[in-house]
């Protein structure tokens, strides 16, 4: 249905592309430089942090399904696991790589 | 069973189409996005096989983590990414031949090993809770060791990324 609507709209609408219409929208100001800019290595740390806690989430899922069965033992084990990973976040914060410059 | 077979066919078609487009497209970012489609389709196949934990892990680790690293790798290394880039090397027929041979070997070993096996109705399905039981009994020490491994990986990445 969505595809049908888009097709009908494509047939019905007028198409008069000009140079002004085709430039990339950058919050109302004229775009500077090319569309594909090289990003800075600094942002790589955020990607690595995401991957770290992504993998952590994979291990939290099986733990969460059996939460009542494991009880205190599971809680302590998961607390140790998350604590060691949060040490990494703490390290990143102390090194100042978390600042979005 | 019929609905599963139809779903399997549709998802397989999407996966094969995306895989072919992934190696033929000119834009490297489109290539990465077609890889996402391939991985998402595989995740759907795992759901059809009642392997919920594998499907979740596929989405979280492959589509989430690995693709983020891929895209960051592209953005960090290749400054002018565009359609003009020649992505297909001159040795592509050799690579295609190697890929075909590898596929044939995997197919042969799979059919040879599991070709006569039949899935039984009401058989044992390995659920996420069973994975949890294994992790929190037999593999408790490796589980805690993983956190140290991940911590080492993060600190290594930060040390590499810092300018000083």
């Amino acid at each position: 249905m969505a595809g049908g609507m888009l097709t009908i709209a494509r047939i019905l609408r007028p198409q008069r592309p000009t140079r002004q219409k085709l430039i990339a929208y950058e919050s109302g100001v004229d775009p500077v430089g090319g569309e594909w800019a090289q990003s800075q290595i600094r942002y790589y740390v955020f990607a690595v942090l995401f991957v770290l806690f992504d993998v952590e989430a994979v291990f939290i899922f099986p733990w969460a399904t059996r939460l009542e069965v494991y009880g205190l033992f599971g809680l302590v084990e998961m607390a140790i696991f998350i604590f060691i990973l949060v040490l990494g976040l703490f390290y990143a914060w102390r090194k100042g790589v978390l600042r979005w410059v | 069973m019929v609905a599963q077979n139809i779903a399997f066919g549709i998802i397989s078609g999407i996966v094969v189409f995306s895989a072919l487009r992934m190696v033929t497209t000119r834009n490297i970012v489109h290539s990465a996005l077609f890889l996402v489609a391939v991985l998402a389709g595989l995740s759907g196949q795992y759901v059809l096989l009642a392997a919920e934990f594998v499907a979740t892990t596929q989405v979280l680790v492959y589509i989430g983590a690995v693709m983020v690293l891929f895209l960051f790798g592209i953005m960090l290394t290749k400054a002018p990414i565009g359609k003009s880039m020649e992505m297909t090397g001159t040795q592509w027929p050799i690579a295609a031949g190697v890929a075909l041979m590898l596929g044939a070997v995997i197919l042969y070993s799979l059919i040879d090993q599991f070709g006569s096996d039949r899935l039984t109705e009401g058989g044992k399905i390995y659920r996420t809770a069973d994975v949890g039981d294994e992790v929190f009994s037999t593999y408790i020490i490796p589980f805690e060791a993983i956190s140290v491994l991940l911590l080492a990986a993060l600190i290594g990445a930060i040390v590499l990324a810092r300018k000083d």
Side-chain angles (χ1 to χ4, degrees):
Chain A
M1 196 165 138
M5 294 249 223
L6 286 170
T7 314
I8 294 168
R10 199 180 176 83
I11 294 165
L12 289 180
R13 71 176 173 226
Q15 274 181 318
R16 289 184 207 93
T18 61
R19 261 183 69 82
Q20 278 298 312
K21 282 184 191 169
L22 287 176
I23 56 171
Y25 180 73
E26 260 181 33
S27 308
V29 292
D30 287 341
V32 179
E35 307 98 315
W36 299 100
Q38 188 166 20
S39 63
Q40 296 204 31
I41 190 86
R42 200 169 44 225
Y43 303 135
Y44 185 69
V45 174
F46 293 95
V48 173
L49 272 172
F50 166 71
V51 170
L52 186 83
F53 287 98
D54 204 42
V55 175
E56 179 196 5
V58 168
F59 287 96
I60 288 180
F61 273 116
W63 172 73
T65 54
R66 302 281 281 171
L67 199 58
E68 295 89 357
V69 180
Y70 300 145
L72 190 66
F73 163 74
L75 191 68
V76 171
E77 283 293 338
M78 192 46 83
I80 297 170
F81 183 71
I82 293 175
F83 173 73
I84 294 174
L85 288 180
V86 167
L87 281 181
L89 188 66
F90 188 71
Y91 177 80
W93 177 53
R94 287 301 306 223
K95 286 287 175 186
V97 289
L98 287 187
R99 253 174 310 154
W100 191 271
V101 195
Chain B
M1 236 23 201
V2 176
Q4 282 176 7
N5 284 338
I6 293 170
F8 176 82
I10 294 171
I11 297 172
S12 301
I14 295 171
V15 167
V16 170
F17 170 77
S18 306
L20 286 175
R21 286 295 291 142
M22 190 192 108
V23 289
T24 52
T25 184
R26 286 293 176 86
N27 193 322
I28 193 163
V29 178
H30 292 176
S31 189
L33 292 178
F34 276 118
L35 183 58
V36 169
V38 172
L39 295 171
L42 290 181
S43 171
Q45 304 287 40
Y46 292 141
V47 170
L48 284 180
L49 291 170
E52 47 178 29
F53 183 69
V54 184
T56 318
T57 311
Q58 173 89 1
V59 172
L60 275 174
V61 173
Y62 279 86
I63 300 179
V66 173
M67 284 319 295
V68 162
L69 288 184
F70 268 25
L71 289 173
F72 259 86
I74 292 168
M75 292 196 307
L76 289 172
T77 52
K78 272 271 169 245
I81 325 167
K83 284 196 182 64
S84 58
M85 229 184 73
E86 192 49 61
M87 293 250 298
T88 311
T90 48
Q91 291 175 328
W92 74 266
I94 303 170
V98 170
L100 272 180
M101 276 198 285
L102 184 66
V105 167
I106 292 173
L107 202 64
Y108 174 75
S109 55
L110 277 178
I111 291 173
D112 192 47
Q113 194 71 32
F114 305 108
S116 56
D117 288 5
R118 286 277 172 275
L119 278 178
T120 49
E121 290 282 336
K124 170 98 177 91
I125 293 173
Y126 214 61
R127 297 199 176 284
T128 312
D130 301 319
V131 179
D133 285 347
E134 287 284 316
V135 168
F136 284 92
S137 59
T138 320
Y139 301 107
I140 189 77
I141 299 297
F143 166 70
E144 296 295 348
I146 282 170
S147 64
V148 180
L149 179 74
L150 288 169
L151 181 68
L154 175 74
I155 292 176
I158 291 173
V159 168
L160 284 178
R162 275 166 61 85
K163 283 200 177 72
D164 48 70

